[in-house]
Amino acid sequence: KAGVTQTPRYLIKTRGQQVTLSCSPISGHRSVSWYQQTPGQGLQFLFEYFSETQRNKGNFPGRFSGRQFSNSRSEMNVSTLELGDSALYLCASSPQLGRTNTGELFFGEGSRLTVL
Amino acid sequence: AQSVTQLDSQVPVFEEAPVELRCNYSSSVSVYLFWYVQYPNQGLQLLLKYLSGSTLVKGINGFEAEFNKSQTSFHLRKPSVHISDTAEYFCAVSFLYNFNKFYFGSGTKLNVKP
């Protein structure tokens, strides 16, 4: 079974630009979560999608948004980039069914964003 | 409010020595507990998890952890480390019906020296 695939792996943007990151979950996984990882703040939850619906959102400004498609693939978008948005963005999928937590996230290798 | 504390940001240890990475959590409700490992330039990989049942949990690569509810701890242990265990280790908690929102600790970098 293929793992979680994130594209692109590396990208460089300048302040004020926007970026879109893509995540393909493990086949059959319907839950996709996004996390931001930085040296100063560690791993922080961005949002989680299940069946194309955002079910939970972390404490990030509205510049951070996401969506999920009918095939469970997900994208996240960051608009008006700031220097502080430089981070590793990790996507994770889960075989969770319904509301019950099945207990494991499967992570991709991440997209490393550098904002200049 | 929920939080996860990893007391040691870095742990140096010699090869074949035992190691313990500490994790404490704060929560007013029952939790699920996890340890993930991250190798350089990679995503996170699950080492082990505690959902219910036996408080001693065994994971991959010879790691184990013990859930201590009274002390709200979930320390990770390995009796003999290898150079290949050099990585960053994250403790995490989640909750029933929480839509996969995990709270992660700040991480512990394990540096195994020859």
Side-chain angles (χ1 to χ4, degrees), chain A residues 51-72:
Chain A
S51 292
E52 302 178 67
T53 300
Q54 185 183 89
R55 300 194 299 183
N56 210 340
K57 190 176 190 302
N59 296 322
F60 280 82
R63 300 185 297 106
F64 292 81
S65 63
R67 58 178 176 168
Q68 187 180 34
F69 302 95
S70 58
N71 61 358
S72 294

Side-chain angles (χ1 to χ4, degrees), chain B residues 87-102:
Chain B
E88 189 159 18
Y89 293 79
F90 293 91
C91 180
V93 301
S94 72
F95 309 90
L96 185 65
Y97 302 124
N98 82 326
F99 307 130
N100 284 335
K101 182 177 182 178
F102 279 54

Side-chain angles (χ1 to χ4, degrees), chain B:
Chain B
Q2 297 81 21
S3 68
V4 181
T5 303
Q6 292 183 244
L7 298 169
D8 306 301
S9 59
Q10 296 192 51
V11 172
V13 63
F14 287 104
E15 195 173 18
E16 297 183 7
V19 70
E20 178 180 82
L21 306 184
R22 296 179 292 171
C23 173
N24 289 87
Y25 67 93
S26 172
S27 173
S28 57
V29 299
S30 295
V31 299
Y32 296 152
L33 294 156
F34 305 82
W35 276 99
Y36 282 84
V37 60
Q38 186 177 35
Y39 299 101
N41 298 316
Q42 293 188 24
L44 278 69
Q45 178 185 3
L46 180 70
L47 273 178
L48 48 79
K49 62 183 178 183
Y50 171 79
L51 303 183
S52 64
S54 173
T55 57
L56 182 62
V57 179
K58 293 189 183 298
I60 63 172
N61 300 339
F63 284 94
E64 65 180 31
E66 186 157 19
F67 170 53
N68 187 319
K69 188 174 182 179
S70 62
Q71 296 186 4
T72 61
S73 68
F74 191 55
H75 301 332
L76 181 70
R77 301 185 184 97
K78 186 170 183 177
S80 176
V81 296
H82 303 287
I83 294 289
S84 59
D85 292 324
T86 296
E88 189 159 18
Y89 293 79
F90 293 91
C91 180
V93 301
S94 72
F95 309 90
L96 185 65
Y97 302 124
N98 82 326
F99 307 130
N100 284 335
K101 182 177 182 178
F102 279 54
Y103 295 83
F104 284 87
S106 54
T108 298
K109 291 183 179 178
L110 178 64
N111 183 16
V112 181
K113 304 176 181 181

Side-chain angles (χ1 to χ4, degrees), chain A residues 20-74:
Chain A
T20 299
L21 309 178
S22 179
C23 173
S24 293
I26 292 172
S27 177
H29 288 192
R30 296 166 63 189
S31 170
V32 175
S33 306
W34 289 89
Y35 288 80
Q36 181 196 62
Q37 185 178 22
T38 59
Q41 299 297 319
L43 280 150
Q44 293 188 290
F45 175 79
L46 281 157
F47 26 67
E48 190 255 357
Y49 288 87
F50 182 84
S51 292
E52 302 178 67
T53 300
Q54 185 183 89
R55 300 194 299 183
N56 210 340
K57 190 176 190 302
N59 296 322
F60 280 82
R63 300 185 297 106
F64 292 81
S65 63
R67 58 178 176 168
Q68 187 180 34
F69 302 95
S70 58
N71 61 358
S72 294
R73 190 177 71 84
S74 177

